[in-house]
Amino acid sequence: MKRAMLSILLLASFAMKMTSQEPVSNRAPLAEKTYMQLPLGNIRAEGWMLEQLNRMKTGLTGHLDEAYEKVCGPRNCWIGGDGDAWERGPYWIDGLLPLAYILDDNDLKKKVQPWVEWALSSQQESGQFGPTVDRPYESGLQRDNAQDWWPRMVMLKIMQQYYQATGDRRVITFLTRYFRYQLEELPKNNLGHWSFWGQRRGGDNLQVVYWLYNLTGEEFLLKLAEIIHRQTHDWTRIFTTGDELYRQLSLHCVNLGQGFKEPVVYYQQSKDKKHLEAPKQALRTIKKTIGLPTGLWGGDELIRFGEPTVGSELCTATEMMFSLESMLEITGDTEWADYLERVAYNALPTQHDDDFQSRQYYQQTNQVAIYPGWRQFSTPHDDTDLLFGVLNGYPCCTCNMHQGWPKLVQNLWYATADHGLAALVYGPSSVSTVLSNGENVTIHESTNYPFDEEIRFTISLNNRTKATVDFPLHLRIPTWCKDALVTINGETFDAESNAGSIIIINRTWKDGDVVALELPMTVGSSRWYGGSACIERGPLVYALKMEEHWEKKEFDAEHAGQYGSWYYEVSSPTPWNYGLRRHVVDHPSENIEVIKNENTGSYPWNVANAPVTLRVKALRMKDWTMARNSCGPISYFTQQGRDYDEDEPTIELIPYGCTTLRITEFPVR
C-alpha cells in the first residue's frame, strides 16, 4: 500500500499542470455576482484564528487517519481500500484540504494528495468515479451504497477546492466527464435512487456544476443543472408554502442546513426572486418554531421545537456555515454574513474541546451537566450524545466538523466585480492577491473580533515599482451596529454607515495606509422558546459562567468498539437555576455591566480566557431543578406567581462559545 501511494504521488508531480488562479465570476446567462471567492491560499489566518487552525492541525483534523484509522486509514475505499465506502472519509478531506492550503503545510498536503489522486485515477470510461462495489457488512463501517450520488457530492467539493488551490487542469477534465455521466444517468437513476441523502443534498452537486460552467462554458452543464434542481428536495416549497418547519420530526437537522442554500444556488440560473426570498422566509418561521439563539435549530437528529434542552448536531453547524458562505458569495446580502458570524462564533467553538481532540455530537443551549444519561432526544445513541469524545453519539460529526473553521477563513475576504476586495465577515487574517486589474496587494486585518469592536486594515503594495494603487475596499456594517465609524490614517471617512449596509472606499492607496473600522457593541436581548430571554452583545450570545470540572473516563468493553475507548464528563458546583428581571431584559444596556479582559492569551474559547464578561443581577428560581438529566421544565414567562428568592445575586455571563456548561435562555420575572 505504501509503495502504491508513493507511485501515485510521483505520477501526480509529473501529471499536474499548475496555473495561476483567478476568482471565478458567473458566465452568462447566469445572474451576475458582485463577490467572488479568492484562490485557496490567498487568505491566511492570524491572531486567535491562526491558533485555532494550528490546534486543528495538531488535533483530530491533522491526525484523524490515526485517531479513527478504521474509517479514515488505508482501508478506506476512497483511497483504494476495502473498508468504508461512503461519506466519512470524504468528509474529513473536505476540511483537511482547505486547512492544509491555508496553513501552507506540506505534511497536511501529503495526507490530502492520495485522496485526490485516487479519485482522479478511479474515473471510468463512462465518467463515473469512486467506489462502486458493495461489500458485506462489517461493524463500524459503511460498505454498501458504494454507487450513491451523495458521497460523490462531497468529493466534488474537494476537487473544486483542490483546483482553487493548485490550478491542476486534470480536475476540469475529470469534472466535465463526470457531469456528462450524470446528464446521461440521472434520468434513469435519480438523486434519490441509492439513498434519500443525495436527493436532500443536491444543492452541493448543483453549485459545483455552475462553478465548472463558469470556467468552461459547456452548455450541457446548464441542462444538467436543471435536472439536478428538479430532482432535489423542493426546499423552496418547504421554506415558503410547506408546513415542515411548523412540524416536529419532519426533517433531518443536517439536511435542513444543507438544503438552505439550494434555492439561492439555483437562483443564479432561474433569476426568480422567490428563490432569494425563500430562505429568508424560512428564517422568520424558524425563529418562531424550532429556532435556537445560536442561529441553529432544535435537531437531535430530527427537527424539534426550540426548547433549550433539545439537542443541536455538530454537523448542522458546519453545514449551515457552508450554506451561508455559498449564499453570501452569490448575493452579497449582509443578512447572510450576520447569520454566518452568529453560527460560527457561538455554536461552533463550544462543540469541540480546546485542543480539537474531542467533540460533542449534540449541544444544548441550556446545558448544565454532561454525563451518560437518558435525555429527551429524538435520536439518542446509548446516552452518549452529550459526552465529549471521538466517536460517541454518531461518528459523522467526527469527520465533518473539520470544514467549519478553514472554510470560514476562506470566506473572510472576497474579490469584487469592481476590481477590489471585500471584507464581509470579520476575523484576524490577511489577504494577498492579484486584483483583476493586475495589481498585487496585501491587507492585514488586525482585530480581536468578535469580542472587540475595532478592526484595523493595513494596506501593503507588493509591487514596489508603484507608489500608489487604485482599488475599492468593501466593508460590511453588521445589522446589530448602529453607529459604525470608519477612519483612514486617523481621519474620518465620510460615508453613510447604516446598519446592514456595505461601505465602499474607492481611493488611491499607498503602502502603509490604515483603515480603522469601529463597530460599537451594545448589550441587547432577544426572546426565544416560551418567552425565555437571551442576552447578546454584537455577534455574540452570552451565557451563565459556570465552573467546569472535566473528568476523563473509559467506555466499558461493550460500548468501546462503537463509541471509542474514552470520553469526558463535565460537571460543576456552580448554581445554574437563575432567572432575570423583566426590566433587565427590556433595558439591558442600562442594567448590565461590560468588563473586558485584556489578558486572554492566544486562545479565547474557554471559561478561563473569555475576553468579555457581563455582570447582571439575577433571580434564584427556587423550584427549577434537574429532570431526566437536563435542567427541568419551567415557565420561562408567567404573569403571576413568585417562584424565586427575594435576594438578587450578581451573576456573570461570558460568550456562549467560551462555555461548555451554561444557561443561555433565562426565565423572565
Side-chain angles (χ1 to χ4, degrees):
M1 177 62 73
K2 289 182 179 178
R3 183 175 296 175
M5 289 301 172
L6 179 60
S7 298
I8 287 175
L9 290 171
L10 289 173
L11 285 171
S13 67
F14 290 105
M16 281 190 249
K17 179 183 178 183
M18 303 302 185
T19 61
S20 60
Q21 293 303 284
E22 297 179 357
V24 179
S25 186
N26 274 351
R27 182 192 293 259
L30 300 183
E32 294 181 1
K33 289 196 303 184
T34 304
Y35 300 105
M36 296 152 282
Q37 267 204 344
L38 289 160
L40 185 55
N42 279 193
I43 305 166
R44 305 291 189 195
E46 296 187 352
W48 71 257
M49 190 78 79
L50 178 59
E51 178 68 18
Q52 176 65 66
L53 297 194
N54 281 329
R55 289 178 183 226
M56 294 178 67
K57 171 189 170 181
T58 58
L60 286 177
T61 310
H63 298 277
L64 199 62
D65 51 341
E66 304 160 38
Y68 195 20
E69 182 182 7
K70 184 169 188 175
V71 165
C72 295
R75 283 192 64 198
N76 193 282
C77 288
W78 285 97
I79 47 175
D82 67 345
D84 204 274
W86 214 51
E87 65 183 4
R88 281 179 264 178
Y91 265 161
W92 173 44
I93 303 303
D94 190 33
L96 179 64
L97 190 153
L99 179 69
Y101 282 94
I102 289 170
L103 291 178
D104 195 20
D105 187 284
N106 288 329
D107 290 337
L108 298 185
K109 292 177 186 178
K110 288 176 183 177
K111 291 197 175 193
V112 167
Q113 199 66 38
W115 297 74
V116 173
E117 296 302 329
W118 190 88
L120 290 169
S121 65
S122 73
Q123 191 161 48
Q124 303 169 23
E125 186 175 345
S126 66
Q128 172 69 305
F129 76 97
T132 56
V133 177
D134 288 348
R135 293 180 168 88
Y137 173 76
E138 183 178 333
S139 177
L141 298 177
Q142 295 171 302
R143 303 177 85 206
D144 59 352
N145 273 345
Q147 298 187 66
D148 192 4
W149 298 109
W150 158 236
R152 286 166 174 79
M153 295 181 195
V154 185
M155 284 304 302
L156 296 180
K157 294 162 61 182
I158 291 168
M159 302 307 284
Q160 177 186 349
Q161 292 178 97
Y162 181 68
Y163 181 85
Q164 289 174 313
T166 67
D168 187 342
R169 297 294 300 180
R170 295 178 301 164
V171 171
I172 305 304
T173 303
F174 170 84
L175 292 178
T176 300
R177 292 181 62 196
Y178 177 66
F179 289 146
R180 287 193 184 278
Y181 169 78
Q182 281 199 305
L183 183 67
E184 179 72 22
E185 192 70 17
L186 281 176
K188 296 179 288 185
N189 296 305
N190 66 30
L191 292 177
H193 176 76
W194 303 104
S195 75
F196 79 102
W197 302 102
Q199 189 253 2
R200 297 298 195 272
R201 300 172 175 183
D204 291 61
N205 199 149
L206 183 63
Q207 64 180 4
V208 182
V209 171
Y210 288 142
W211 176 81
L212 184 64
Y213 171 76
N214 288 329
L215 288 175
T216 68
E218 293 271 13
E219 293 291 333
F220 84 90
L221 292 167
L222 297 181
K223 181 178 178 182
L224 173 61
E226 291 285 7
I227 293 172
I228 292 172
H229 171 69
R230 287 197 301 270
Q231 291 188 5
T232 299
H233 205 46
D234 191 352
W235 294 104
T236 301
R237 178 200 62 78
I238 290 171
F239 294 162
T240 54
T241 61
D243 67 352
E244 286 88 340
L245 298 178
Y246 295 93
R247 285 192 291 114
Q248 297 198 94
L249 315 180
S250 62
L251 295 169
H252 185 275
C253 57
V254 183
N255 285 345
L256 175 56
Q258 290 190 250
F260 226 86
K261 63 180 169 291
E262 199 279 341
V264 173
V265 172
Y266 182 60
Y267 163 79
Q268 295 172 100
Q269 187 167 1
S270 74
K271 300 180 183 177
D272 189 335
K273 293 294 180 64
K274 74 179 181 182
H275 294 122
L276 294 181
E277 176 58 27
K280 291 176 177 281
Q281 187 168 337
L283 285 187
R284 292 192 291 269
T285 302
I286 286 171
K287 176 67 165 65
K288 295 179 288 187
T289 57
I290 63 175
L292 300 172
T294 57
L296 299 176
W297 42 84
D300 50 24
E301 297 170 357
L302 303 179
I303 63 170
R304 306 271 304 282
F305 293 147
E307 189 173 358
T309 54
V310 300
S312 177
E313 186 182 333
L314 176 53
C315 280
T316 305
T318 57
E319 291 294 355
M320 185 59 172
M321 285 174 60
F322 180 65
S323 284
L324 292 165
E325 289 154 1
S326 303
M327 296 157 67
L328 177 60
E329 181 194 356
I330 292 167
T331 65
D333 190 330
T334 59
E335 180 175 358
W336 305 131
D338 288 343
Y339 210 78
L340 173 58
E341 289 186 353
R342 192 173 187 94
V343 176
Y345 292 149
N346 292 287
L348 182 62
T350 188
Q351 214 154 351
H352 59 75
D353 70 5
D354 290 356
D355 295 324
F356 223 80
Q357 297 282 5
S358 65
R359 92 292 179 269
Q360 188 182 37
Y361 188 56
Y362 298 144
Q363 64 173 285
Q364 299 169 306
T365 54
N366 283 0
Q367 178 173 276
V368 297
I370 293 174
Y371 54 79
W374 189 89
R375 295 171 178 86
Q376 299 185 80
F377 298 148
S378 70
T379 313
H381 301 85
D382 294 321
D383 306 327
T384 69
D385 301 283
L386 284 192
L387 307 176
F388 278 81
V390 177
L391 301 180
N392 52 285
Y394 193 75
C396 58
C397 294
T398 302
C399 299
N400 196 21
M401 68 177 178
H402 311 282
Q403 67 170 316
W405 290 113
K407 290 185 182 178
L408 179 69
V409 172
Q410 175 63 8
N411 287 274
L412 294 177
W413 289 92
Y414 295 100
T416 67
D418 57 2
H419 311 299
L421 289 169
L424 303 186
V425 179
Y426 297 122
S429 61
S430 65
V431 57
S432 296
T433 193
V434 178
L435 303 177
S436 56
N437 61 8
E439 302 293 354
N440 192 328
V441 302
T442 295
I443 303 178
H444 287 276
E445 180 179 352
S446 302
T447 184
N448 203 33
Y449 191 90
F451 311 101
D452 286 355
E453 300 160 301
E454 183 180 63
I455 307 170
R456 294 175 64 84
F457 304 92
T458 302
I459 314 296
S460 298
L461 307 184
N462 298 329
N463 184 352
R464 296 304 179 181
T465 63
K466 287 192 173 183
T468 61
V469 168
D470 295 339
F471 68 90
L473 178 62
H474 296 219
L475 302 175
R476 155 182 151 264
I477 307 301
T479 304
W480 48 260
C481 182
K482 307 304 179 186
D483 298 299
L485 175 66
V486 177
T487 62
I488 303 175
N489 299 327
E491 297 184 4
T492 300
F493 177 71
D494 187 15
E496 289 191 13
S497 55
N498 298 324
S501 67
I502 293 176
I503 293 176
I504 300 177
I505 307 172
N506 204 336
R507 64 176 266 132
T508 300
W509 303 93
K510 65 181 186 298
D511 194 66
D513 279 347
V514 176
V515 177
L517 175 63
E518 287 281 348
L519 300 173
M521 298 179 182
T522 57
V523 180
S525 66
S526 56
R527 293 295 189 120
W528 294 87
Y529 179 87
S532 62
C534 177
I535 302 302
E536 305 173 5
R537 176 179 175 269
L540 298 182
V541 172
Y542 282 72
L544 177 67
K545 179 180 180 180
M546 297 178 64
E547 184 179 340
E548 296 176 1
H549 295 166
W550 290 63
E551 184 177 0
K552 193 171 186 178
K553 296 197 171 184
E554 293 184 357
F555 278 110
D556 57 40
E558 179 184 354
H559 293 99
Q562 182 174 357
Y563 296 118
S565 59
W566 57 268
Y567 64 90
Y568 283 106
E569 292 184 356
V570 189
S571 61
S572 177
T574 306
W576 55 264
N577 53 343
Y578 292 106
L580 296 175
R581 287 283 192 187
R582 186 171 292 112
H583 75 272
V584 171
V585 175
D586 291 343
H587 306 283
S589 61
E590 300 169 14
N591 293 283
I592 298 178
E593 180 186 6
V594 179
I595 301 169
K596 296 182 180 181
N597 180 5
E598 302 298 334
N599 301 308
T600 59
S602 61
Y603 188 77
W605 297 112
N606 55 41
V607 172
N609 294 337
V612 181
T613 299
L614 307 183
R615 287 183 179 168
V616 58
K617 287 190 177 297
L619 300 170
R620 188 78 181 270
M621 312 304 294
K622 291 187 291 187
D623 299 317
W624 193 15
T625 59
M626 297 281 286
R628 295 180 176 178
N629 301 300
S630 296
C631 53
I634 191 172
S635 295
Y636 289 96
F637 171 85
T638 181
Q639 291 184 314
Q640 59 182 357
R642 187 177 293 274
D643 55 348
Y644 51 85
D645 293 335
E646 291 298 322
D647 294 338
E648 295 191 16
T650 297
I651 61 172
E652 293 186 336
L653 312 180
I654 59 176
Y656 180 98
C658 299
T659 68
T660 300
L661 302 180
R662 56 188 167 257
I663 292 293
T664 312
E665 300 181 58
F666 291 90
V668 180
R669 299 291 184 264

